Amino acid sequence: MVDTKLIKSKMVLKDMTMEMLAKSIGISSKTLYTRFKSKKFHSDEIVLIAKVLDIQSPAEIFFNDNVTY
């Protein structure tokens, strides 16, 4: 399961809004909000988010079994 809190913390560190992230990975803000809510991302989105947010170990965020709610 995706740890969206960690993604949001990376966004804060990069001073990036949801709208900015959505635009930078080529999807609408609505789609990104849906992905965060469902905690399900497409593989191409994972790659782009990791690149944009400079996430060194994407597996720790996108394939984490110990996600807190």
Side-chain angles (χ1 to χ4, degrees), residues 1 6 9 19 33 40 42 63:
M1 185 161 276
L6 281 177
S9 70
E19 291 77 16
Y33 281 104
K40 295 179 182 175
H42 295 169
F63 304 104

Side-chain angles (χ1 to χ4, degrees), residues 2-52:
V2 177
D3 191 341
T4 55
K5 288 182 181 180
L6 281 177
I7 298 171
K8 288 178 183 178
S9 70
K10 296 286 188 182
M11 289 170 58
V12 168
L13 291 172
K14 292 282 187 178
D15 197 29
M16 186 172 278
T17 64
M18 293 283 273
E19 291 77 16
M20 293 165 68
L21 180 60
K23 185 175 182 178
S24 68
I25 65 169
I27 62 174
S28 71
S29 297
K30 182 179 179 182
T31 300
L32 186 59
Y33 281 104
T34 301
R35 299 281 192 264
F36 269 78
K37 187 175 180 180
S38 69
K39 297 182 185 280
K40 295 179 182 175
F41 292 80
H42 295 169
S43 59
D44 59 330
E45 295 165 346
I46 291 171
V47 170
L48 290 171
I49 291 170
K51 188 174 188 176
V52 168

